[in-house]
Amino acid sequence: MIIDENRFFRETTLRICGNLEINEALKECFLYVRDYIPADYMGFVIYLPDEHAYETIATASLDHSSRLPIKVPAPKSDLERMKTEFTDPRITISNYSNHSNKRTHIPDEMGWPSGSSIIIEMVLSGKRMGGLIIISKKKITYTREHASLLALLNEPLGIALTNSIRYRRVQQLKNQLVDDKQYLEDELLKLTETEVIGAADGLKNVMEAVHM
């Protein structure tokens, strides 16, 4: 199949960057991309170096999408690999035939379906931006052509993931502000319901002067 790479890039970018609800954007991206790269499951994952763990940002399949964060410890075999510096997007293919020899255990640890997988670790301005994992439950073979297509999406995928993380942080701060506001209102209410200490004793004259 001859693929118009410019159209593929444009259409995928419109879908993955067209919605701040990252799970919905990923679902639209998944439905489009799977016509070119076999996929039964797709997920955004970030690496948390301080915790030596992976965390899901969003997942999508034919019958669902989710942005429920799930953290799992990174396998020891991945720790040294994650320290390796790279300036271009890194793509790892693990086909069904060599499934037992795959270089990452994220799908198994996350409870995702097993099968062939292709992973792109995005890089923007020399910084890692997390990864996108595509899994096919069928006994298919991901090829260099699939990898080339996925590499085209490095920038829109990285931007979408970055925006999602920033948006999530803003929402967390917003929720924190709501909680803080409620706490302050409750404390002020308690103060207004509490009799001023000393109003009936040594400060009686002062209080009477205040109310005159």
Side-chain angles (χ1 to χ4, degrees):
M1 178 175 62
I2 299 177
I3 298 173
D4 184 336
E5 293 186 349
N6 289 328
R7 181 182 180 186
F8 175 77
F9 174 85
R10 182 176 64 255
E11 294 295 331
T12 306
T13 299
L14 288 173
R15 287 163 172 77
I16 196 60
C17 296
N19 195 327
L20 280 176
E21 296 297 338
I22 189 62
N23 60 306
E24 296 179 10
L26 188 64
K27 179 67 175 285
E28 291 300 316
C29 175
F30 165 80
L31 293 174
Y32 179 78
V33 168
R34 71 191 306 265
D35 287 337
Y36 302 90
I37 302 175
D40 294 306
Y41 204 87
M42 186 179 286
F44 270 131
V45 174
I46 58 173
Y47 177 64
L48 306 173
D50 293 338
E51 302 179 38
H52 302 301
Y54 292 115
E55 180 180 357
T56 58
I57 299 300
T59 58
S61 65
L62 280 176
D63 56 6
H64 98 293
S65 68
S66 172
R67 51 190 176 94
L68 178 68
I70 299 175
K71 290 184 183 179
V72 299
K76 292 182 179 179
S77 58
D78 282 7
L79 296 181
E80 287 300 320
R81 177 174 175 273
M82 295 308 296
K83 295 178 182 179
T84 305
E85 296 295 331
F86 55 92
T87 57
D88 295 318
R90 183 163 61 179
I91 294 179
T92 303
I93 291 176
S94 299
N95 285 318
Y96 190 89
S97 58
N98 62 345
H99 188 64
S100 61
N101 297 321
K102 64 186 178 183
R103 296 171 59 186
T104 177
H105 295 88
I106 296 177
D108 293 339
E109 294 292 329
M110 294 290 187
W112 295 356
S114 60
S116 297
S117 65
I118 182 169
I119 304 170
I120 178 172
E121 296 169 76
M122 292 83 73
V123 176
L124 291 180
S125 300
K127 296 182 180 180
R128 295 179 181 175
M129 306 311 300
L132 178 78
I133 300 176
I134 298 176
I135 299 173
S136 173
K137 294 185 289 186
K138 304 176 183 66
K139 296 181 180 181
I140 61 97
T141 298
Y142 285 115
T143 66
R144 290 183 179 180
E145 287 72 23
H146 294 137
S148 296
L149 282 177
L150 195 55
L152 293 174
L153 306 179
N154 171 68
E155 188 170 347
L157 291 174
I159 291 173
L161 181 56
T162 301
N163 288 342
S164 171
I165 294 172
R166 290 174 177 170
Y167 178 67
R168 183 174 71 170
R169 181 56 179 161
V170 168
Q171 292 299 107
Q172 290 172 342
L173 291 174
K174 180 181 177 181
N175 293 337
Q176 183 64 50
L177 287 174
V178 171
D179 292 340
D180 291 346
K181 180 175 180 291
Q182 185 61 53
Y183 172 78
L184 290 174
E185 289 176 350
D186 291 343
E187 291 301 305
L188 287 172
L189 182 60
K190 291 178 183 178
L191 288 175
T192 60
E193 294 175 345
T194 302
E195 183 179 1
V196 178
I197 298 175
D201 298 315
L203 295 178
K204 182 178 181 180
N205 294 337
V206 175
M207 296 304 299
E208 289 177 348
V210 171
H211 291 291
M212 289 179 62

